[in-house]
Amino acid sequence: MDFQLPEELVALRKTVRDFCETEVKPFAREWDEKESFPAATVRKIGELGLLGMGVPEEYGGVGLSSLGIATVIEEIARYDGSLGLTVASHNGLCTNHIKWFASEELKAKWLPKLATGEAMGAWGLSEPASGSDAAGLLTTAVRKGDHWVLNGSKMWITQGTVGGVYVVLASTDKAKKQKGITAFVVEPGTPGFKTVPVKHKLGMRSSDTAELVFENCEVPDSNRIGQVDSGFIDTCKILDRGRITIGALAVGLGRGAIEEARAYALERQAFGHPIADFQAIRFMLADMQTEMDAARLLVQRAATLADEGKPFTREASMAKLFASEAASRACNKALQIHGGYGYTKEFPVERYLRDAKLCEIGEGTSEIQRIVISRELLK
């Protein structure tokens, strides 16, 4: 259950669900096993307009609300967390950074391509030695006339090897720490820039992940996003909305686990009865459903506040924290309900459990969310 969505979002949700039933559900297991990025399916998602959900119509996008984007991400993640992560990160990170803070020239060049999926967007913040401590990044950008020279590396970058455009955060004044970070657009094929695939992940295995390496990589000043040294402030605003979509992603995974566990419990027989007849199973399902309904409402509250232009930093962190941890619990219980079969790849619940763990790490760990929530609470 969720609060009453506008009719257009109900219709959109059904469209996404029908698409996923035919284009995603039959193939998600194979994509996961082969660690294969589903490029053809992603192109079809682009044709539906779901890669330009937040892009204004004048740039070829849909101009969907945060609530609408969360609804779509949940629906995709119910069938495949990796694909949900691809759509969430493309819409929420690289695209939003360009949409909100780039020059008109950069917007006109990249937003139409991002909206259709002609160019997949990647966003480079995390590094091998800086994750939660994002302000401690070591990648540098040194001005050289009308160019900047980038050196360093980025880690865990979604769409890392398939990206058509990259937004990269680099230190432009080490003495200022987080107040000395600037964002740049880097294009594939730029001399001194290469990507290295990251394989053998626990989950989200068909989401493309890579390390980005910069060795005397020159980018023109016209590719700078926003003011010099303002990148970290902009990044915090982007992460707030990103936490809403990761919360929605977690809800989708948890919901998928519940639906699979319910179906299995009604079919599986033990002691002459469906295991759904036993109180132990019923209570697990009750706890799972209660937590995921609460998680969805937290996500929808944060999204609605964002759409209304009201402060939502605390609410976004609360949604992401609760939804991600509740999803992991739901997926774990779903596997338990499946018993030995849940421990095999024959059923999707083991994949949901592996995928859900990422939601407790990406866009700020659970520990970082608790810092944000408590800081906002004690202001």
Side-chain angles (χ1 to χ4, degrees):
M1 291 291 294
D2 51 8
F3 69 73
Q4 187 63 46
L5 292 173
E7 289 184 9
E8 62 271 19
L9 291 187
V10 173
L12 176 60
R13 182 172 60 184
K14 183 180 186 306
T15 297
V16 176
R17 183 177 302 167
D18 292 345
F19 174 86
C20 288
E21 282 282 350
T22 58
E23 301 288 345
V24 178
K25 184 177 180 179
F27 312 108
R29 174 180 168 181
E30 179 182 356
W31 296 338
D32 174 78
E33 291 180 349
K34 294 182 177 179
E35 297 185 89
S36 173
F37 180 76
T41 304
V42 171
R43 282 195 295 272
K44 293 178 182 179
I45 287 176
E47 292 169 1
L48 289 175
L50 303 183
L51 296 180
M53 288 190 285
V55 175
E57 293 181 8
E58 60 263 34
Y59 295 104
V62 179
L64 201 59
S65 65
S66 291
L67 179 60
I69 293 171
T71 301
V72 170
I73 297 301
E74 177 191 331
E75 209 60 41
I76 296 173
R78 183 268 176 261
Y79 297 92
D80 185 12
S82 291
L83 190 59
L85 179 60
T86 297
V87 176
S89 62
H90 172 87
N91 279 282
L93 299 177
C94 173
T95 301
N96 273 348
H97 208 138
I98 292 173
K99 179 181 76 173
W100 289 335
F101 305 113
S103 65
E104 185 55 44
E105 289 75 18
L106 288 174
K107 291 179 185 179
K109 180 176 181 179
W110 291 112
L111 288 181
K113 295 178 181 179
L114 288 163
T116 61
E118 178 184 345
M120 294 299 295
W123 193 68
L125 175 63
S126 294
E127 298 187 355
S130 70
S132 295
D133 181 18
L137 60 86
L138 300 177
T139 298
T140 59
V142 177
R143 190 148 200 169
K144 179 183 175 184
D146 60 354
H147 283 68
W148 294 82
V149 181
L150 274 61
N151 280 285
S153 62
K154 298 292 177 180
M155 196 64 175
W156 316 120
I157 308 307
T158 310
Q159 281 85 255
T161 71
V162 300
V165 58
Y166 298 77
V167 172
V168 178
L169 281 297
S171 174
T172 41
D173 190 336
K174 296 294 289 184
K176 293 182 179 178
K177 297 183 179 179
Q178 69 264 36
K179 294 182 180 179
I181 293 174
T182 306
F184 301 90
V185 166
V186 181
E187 299 183 30
T190 301
F193 170 46
K194 67 177 181 180
T195 65
V196 182
V198 174
K199 295 292 186 180
H200 312 301
K201 296 176 295 181
L202 172 70
M204 301 294 188
R205 288 164 55 88
S206 63
S207 167
D208 182 75
T209 309
E211 178 182 10
L212 312 181
V213 180
F214 305 92
E215 297 177 348
N216 296 319
C217 174
E218 291 194 11
V219 297
D221 186 59
S222 58
N223 277 22
R224 173 172 47 85
I225 299 178
Q227 299 298 314
V228 174
D229 297 340
S230 69
F232 188 74
I233 297 172
D234 297 343
T235 291
C236 290
K237 297 175 183 177
I238 290 164
L239 287 174
D240 280 346
R241 287 193 186 250
R243 286 164 184 160
I244 297 174
T245 57
I246 294 298
L249 178 68
V251 171
L253 287 164
R255 190 189 107 206
I258 292 169
E259 291 175 1
E260 296 292 339
R262 176 185 179 277
Y264 184 83
L266 289 168
E267 179 182 336
R268 175 70 170 175
Q269 297 278 325
F271 308 102
H273 296 272
I275 62 172
D277 287 351
F278 298 107
Q279 190 178 71
I281 303 298
R282 287 173 172 250
F283 280 12
M284 278 196 279
L285 289 168
D287 288 344
M288 293 156 69
Q289 188 67 58
T290 299
E291 287 201 329
M292 294 322 300
D293 274 16
R296 181 184 292 109
L297 288 169
L298 284 171
V299 169
Q300 291 175 335
R301 179 182 70 166
T304 300
L305 288 172
D307 289 335
E308 293 175 349
K310 298 176 181 178
F312 64 95
T313 295
R314 181 176 69 175
E315 289 77 9
S317 283
M318 292 172 72
K320 194 267 188 189
L321 171 65
F322 185 82
S324 62
E325 295 189 349
S328 287
R329 290 190 291 268
C331 293
N332 195 44
K333 287 178 180 177
L335 193 151
Q336 187 74 13
I337 289 170
H338 280 72
Y341 286 109
Y343 207 64
T344 71
K345 294 185 182 296
E346 184 176 346
F347 291 85
V349 289
E350 62 85 29
R351 187 179 80 246
Y352 291 165
L353 178 59
R354 289 187 286 107
D355 287 350
K357 186 60 188 177
L358 185 277
C359 297
E360 297 180 61
I361 299 171
E363 306 286 67
T365 63
S366 290
E367 292 70 30
I368 291 296
Q369 303 315 315
R370 289 183 168 91
I371 290 173
V372 172
I373 294 164
S374 59
R375 182 183 65 209
E376 292 290 316
L377 181 64
L378 295 170
K379 275 185 177 178

